[in-house]
């Protein structure tokens, strides 16, 4: 039995989709446990690119995919994703996809509120994906959310929408100067969604528990990144769920004793989409070069990703917050042809050195990165499959990351495709 959690260590888009797709070969089940279609996870197999927003990235390996109770689901997007996969020759049946009956539903007012609030905030906006994620989690916390179990019961669903819509329409119209929504429109659309999705809805905690008893291997696929975590990230410039490994338990319905390993995905440099402080951000030609070479555009919104050097203050924060047992370094190929590379090892604030990630945004925004400089390499490394065959300077860069993170590197990704990878130590190998 191996139950491995994969999390992003930075601000999302580290390459979780690629690594989950790769490791899913050795797993029986892949579970998403938080977030929604704010996520965009890319897989490249046989030259074809797939982007998943809701369905776990184990789908291409034909594994059982579970949508956990900790997720918020836009049913229209889920249906679109099923259609998209079908158009690519992957027909996802009820034996392959299961949705937690307790997962919350994203409603039209959530999306509208997300957009209208961002507009109202102007310069102070979060830069959300506009998918209704925050407002949906907000309703979950204030106990006004609608779950899948409610969606598939027409009477309960209609009763809940009636009560909630009155308040939402008042807020939309009177506070956000946005259009109110029509009850019948919502019921018509959502009853269609319910009919399509009802056969997939089940108790996934039971499914997982049975699998664990049968000594099956489970992969838990995190979305976003540790520094977008609602508690531990750069609040309020974060998403609205806990993205750290601990939430795999709450968001899937299993106990912490069942998790065997946690792998942190680390992009070889740093990127961020949306607003919020980013100490090692580059505003020069090097940043523009990494953005271009790394094709750093959001997989969900298409926005340009901000780019900067690798920051090991945030990496060490992730090691601690997630109890990382190993690292997967991605996009190392993108750093080729840089004369030198920089690694941020600490921050300078008010004449003092800070080694731990500060909670205050005011402090973080004023932090200046302290860098170590290492020589780069010019060789194309994308075809290398053994650590020993990497140029010495690439090995030095990786060894230094390992040292600073005090955590072993298990996987190195050298290109977007599944096979453009060096596996130093397969986390499933001991099981
Ligand atoms: P996720 O949200 O963490 O799954 O990451 P995204 O899919 O949003 O963004 C990662 C991007 O980098 C995608 O376009 C991947 O295809 C691509 N990618 C992943 N690993 C590598 C790599 O090692 N090298 C290169 N060049 N691209 C990669
Ligand atoms: P994956 O799983 C990168 C960011 C948004 C915004 C903030 C809040 O692909 O790594 P939200 O819509 O969640 O309320 O937006 O979080 N964000 C992501 N950034 N990758 C993601 O997912 C993200 N999901 C949300 O850009 O700054
Ligand atoms: Mg992404």
């Amino acid at each position: 039995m191996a139950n491995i959690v994969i999390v992003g260590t930075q601000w999302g888009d580290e390459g979780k989709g690629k690594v989950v797709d790769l490791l899913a070969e050795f797993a029986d089940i892949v579970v998403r446990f938080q977030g929604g279609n704010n996520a965009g996870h890319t897989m490249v197999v046989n030259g074809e690119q797939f982007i998943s927003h809701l369905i776990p990235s184990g789908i291409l390996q034909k594994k059982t995919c579970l949508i956990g109770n900790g997720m918020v689901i836009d049913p229209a997007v889920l249906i679109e994703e099923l259609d998209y996969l079908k158009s690519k020759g992957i027909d996802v049946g009820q034996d392959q996809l299961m949705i937690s009956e307790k997962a919350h539903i994203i409603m039209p007012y959530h999306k509208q509120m997300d957009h209208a609030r961002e507009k109202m905030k102007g310069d102070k906006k979060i830069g959300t994906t506009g998918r209704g994620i925050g407002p949906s989690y907000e309703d979950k916390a204030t106990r006004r959310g609608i779950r899948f179990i409610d969606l598939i019961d027409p009477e309960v669903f209609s009763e809940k929408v009636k009560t909630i819509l009155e308040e939402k329409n008042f807020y939309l119209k009177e506070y956000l100067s946005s259009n109110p929504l029509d009850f019948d429109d919502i019921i018509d659309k959502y009853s269609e969604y319910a009919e399509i999705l009802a056969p997939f809805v089940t108790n996934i905690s039971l499914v997982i528990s049975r699998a664990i008893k049968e000594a099956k291997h489970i992969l838990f696929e995190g979305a976003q990144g540790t520094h977008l975590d609602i508690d531990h990230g750069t609040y309020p410039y974060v998403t609205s769920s806990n993205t750290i490994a601990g939430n795999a338990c709450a968001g899937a319905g299993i106990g912490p004793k069942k998790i065997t390993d946690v792998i942190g995905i680390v992009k070889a440099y740093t990127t961020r989409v949306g607003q919020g402080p980013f100490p090692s951000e580059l505003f020069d030609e090097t940043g523009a070069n990494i953005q271009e070479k790394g094709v750093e555009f959001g997989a969900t919104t298409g926005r340009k990703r901000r780019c900067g050097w690798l920051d090991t203050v945030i990496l060490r924060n992730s090691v601690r917050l997630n109890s990382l047992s190993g690292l997967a370094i991605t996009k190392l190929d993108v750093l080729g042809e840089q004369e030198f590379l920089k690694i941020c090892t600490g921050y300078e604030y008010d004449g003092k050195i800070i080694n731990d990630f500060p909670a205050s945004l005011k402090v973080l925004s004023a932090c200046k990165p302290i860098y170590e400089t290492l020589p780069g390499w010019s060789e194309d490394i994308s075809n290398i499959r053994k650590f020993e065959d990497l140029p010495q300077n690439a090995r030095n860069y990786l060894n230094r990351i390992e040292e600073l993170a005090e955590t072993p590197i298990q996987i190195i990704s050298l290109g977007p495709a599944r096979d453009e990878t060096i596996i130093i130590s397969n986390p499933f190998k001991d099981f």
Side-chain angles (χ1 to χ4, degrees), residues 44-61:
V44 178
V45 183
N46 298 329
E48 200 175 355
Q49 188 190 63
F50 297 81
I51 298 177
S52 70
H53 300 286
L54 291 170
I55 297 177
S57 304
I59 201 73
L60 303 184
Q61 299 271 19

Side-chain angles (χ1 to χ4, degrees), residues 21-306:
D21 167 71
L22 173 83
L23 291 179
E25 180 186 344
F26 311 96
D28 300 288
I29 295 180
V30 184
V31 195
R32 275 270 315 261
F33 55 88
Q34 45 74 228
N37 62 312
N38 46 351
H41 296 178
T42 315
M43 299 153 272
V44 178
V45 183
N46 298 329
E48 200 175 355
Q49 188 190 63
F50 297 81
I51 298 177
S52 70
H53 300 286
L54 291 170
I55 297 177
S57 304
I59 201 73
L60 303 184
Q61 299 271 19
K62 306 214 169 357
K63 301 302 161 126
T64 303
C65 288
L66 308 182
I67 286 183
N69 56 278
M71 289 186 75
V72 287
I73 305 295
D74 185 331
V77 175
L78 182 54
I79 293 166
E80 246 172 60
E81 203 156 291
L82 290 169
D83 290 343
Y84 160 81
L85 287 168
K86 201 172 191 173
S87 76
K88 298 226 176 206
I90 301 155
D91 205 351
V92 181
Q94 289 162 42
D95 52 336
Q96 218 198 329
L97 178 71
M98 294 172 212
I99 307 167
S100 166
E101 51 200 3
K102 296 184 221 156
H104 279 248
I105 308 284
I106 296 184
M107 298 294 290
Y109 41 82
H110 293 138
K111 287 183 270 187
Q112 210 165 307
M113 280 162 64
D114 198 353
H115 283 287
R117 280 177 179 168
E118 285 281 277
K119 199 169 150 202
M120 205 176 202
K121 281 192 186 130
D123 283 355
K124 295 203 162 58
K125 70 178 182 192
I126 306 287
T128 72
T129 59
R131 305 302 197 251
I133 306 294
S136 174
Y137 275 117
E138 183 179 314
D139 276 354
K140 175 178 176 175
T142 51
R143 293 155 293 186
R144 284 174 302 182
I146 299 179
R147 302 174 301 163
F148 261 94
I149 198 75
D150 308 319
L151 173 74
I152 60 176
D153 182 330
E155 225 172 276
V156 173
F157 183 69
S158 138
E159 189 57 43
K160 288 207 174 228
V161 175
K162 189 168 265 159
T163 318
I164 296 160
L165 196 60
E166 207 175 307
E167 184 191 326
K168 296 293 179 196
N169 274 344
F170 179 81
Y171 180 70
L172 282 170
K173 220 169 100 192
E174 304 300 328
Y175 185 70
L176 294 172
S177 308
S178 188
N179 294 328
L181 292 155
D182 183 65
F183 172 79
D184 292 328
D185 273 358
I186 295 180
I187 299 296
D188 285 354
K189 271 197 202 122
Y190 276 67
S191 46
E192 261 178 52
Y193 304 152
E195 206 171 310
I196 299 170
L197 296 175
F200 297 96
V201 177
T202 190
N203 182 336
I204 71 134
S205 169
L206 284 180
V207 175
I208 295 174
S209 156
R210 273 196 293 267
I212 290 175
K213 279 191 187 133
E214 289 165 16
K216 297 228 162 105
H217 293 340
I218 307 175
L219 204 47
F220 293 86
E221 176 180 7
Q224 289 80 56
T226 299
H227 293 82
L228 287 172
D229 182 280
I230 182 93
D231 283 289
H232 301 286
T234 43
Y235 191 89
Y237 297 98
V238 291
T239 192
S240 297
S241 64
N242 283 112
T243 58
I244 55 170
N247 196 27
C249 294
I254 63 157
K257 279 163 70 183
K258 301 293 180 201
I259 303 297
T260 46
D261 266 324
V262 184
I263 307 293
I265 314 298
V266 187
K267 200 179 271 188
Y269 46 95
T270 312
T271 63
R272 174 162 207 175
V273 213
Q275 312 303 115
F278 175 177
S280 66
E281 183 166 10
L282 288 165
F283 299 96
D284 59 5
E285 226 175 86
T286 309
N289 180 269
I290 292 175
Q291 195 278 327
E292 197 181 320
K293 209 165 159 206
V295 201
E296 293 295 354
F297 290 98
T300 296
T301 57
R303 290 177 291 177
K304 231 183 203 186
R305 294 174 183 148
R306 300 154 62 191

Side-chain angles (χ1 to χ4, degrees), residues 9 71 82 101 173 178 190 311 318 332 358 399-400 403 429:
T9 58
M71 289 186 75
L82 290 169
E101 51 200 3
K173 220 169 100 192
S178 188
Y190 276 67
D311 181 341
S318 289
L332 189 68
N399 288 337
R400 189 64 187 133
E403 248 170 44
K429 73 173 189 308

Side-chain angles (χ1 to χ4, degrees), residues 7-9 226-227 229 231-233 244-246 262-264 312-327 354-359 404-407:
V7 287
T9 58
T226 299
H227 293 82
D229 182 280
D231 283 289
H232 301 286
I244 55 170
V262 184
I263 307 293
T312 56
V313 178
I314 78 166
L315 180 52
R316 285 194 303 269
N317 206 32
S318 289
V319 169
R320 189 186 71 257
L321 291 168
N322 297 294
S323 294
L324 296 185
S325 37
L327 308 178
I354 294 186
N355 288 311
D356 296 309
F357 199 68
L404 289 164
E406 296 179 4
T407 310

